[in-house]
Amino acid sequence: YLDDVFLIGPSPAVLKAFEDFKPTFQKIGLEIQEQKCEIYNPITSDTISPHTSVPVTNEGMNILGIPVEKKDFITRACTSFAESGNALCHQLPTLDTQEAMLLLRYCHTPRMIHLARGVH
């Protein structure tokens, strides 16, 4: 998550800051990949600016792996996580017992606890 950046504020100020980041990042060898970016605007999902190809959503967003904002968005994110955990559990019998235990202990369980602590 070290390369995640969240810009918060009025739309014009956020878009200006986003445009200002591009050359600054390029100077240190980083490139903003707009297809991996998302603008969250709780008021509308309309395009905020014709100068960016970044998609706009009004449903919610994930911050450090935690879905935030609207209840339906959070519910869908938690359901998706539960389904992926269910798929993992079905694959566990194909693994060595110790491998399965390590996978649960160090991968799935910490993610589940992180999600449970972050979602209200």
Side-chain angles (χ1 to χ4, degrees), residues 19-31:
E19 292 302 320
D20 291 346
F21 264 112
K22 290 179 184 179
T24 304
F25 278 15
Q26 287 175 344
K27 288 178 187 175
I28 59 172
L30 298 175
E31 182 180 337

Side-chain angles (χ1 to χ4, degrees), residues 43-54:
I43 299 168
T44 180
S45 61
D46 296 337
T47 303
I48 292 177
S49 170
H51 305 294
T52 181
S53 61
V54 177

Side-chain angles (χ1 to χ4, degrees), residues 76-86 108 111-113 115:
R76 282 194 309 275
C78 291
T79 301
S80 175
F81 178 79
E83 289 169 353
S84 70
N86 190 32
H108 186 69
R111 286 184 61 216
M112 183 173 55
I113 291 169
L115 182 64

Side-chain angles (χ1 to χ4, degrees), residues 27-95:
K27 288 178 187 175
I28 59 172
L30 298 175
E31 182 180 337
I32 295 176
Q33 298 180 21
E34 289 194 11
Q35 71 274 14
K36 292 178 128 183
C37 297
E38 185 175 68
I39 296 172
Y40 171 67
N41 184 339
I43 299 168
T44 180
S45 61
D46 296 337
T47 303
I48 292 177
S49 170
H51 305 294
T52 181
S53 61
V54 177
V56 178
T57 180
N58 66 349
E59 294 184 1
M61 64 185 302
N62 287 305
I63 298 177
L64 301 175
I66 303 295
V68 296
E69 196 49 46
K70 297 188 179 173
K71 187 176 181 178
D72 290 343
F73 178 80
I74 295 170
T75 300
R76 282 194 309 275
C78 291
T79 301
S80 175
F81 178 79
E83 289 169 353
S84 70
N86 190 32
L88 172 68
C89 288
H90 286 300
Q91 294 175 5
L92 291 177
T94 66
L95 301 173

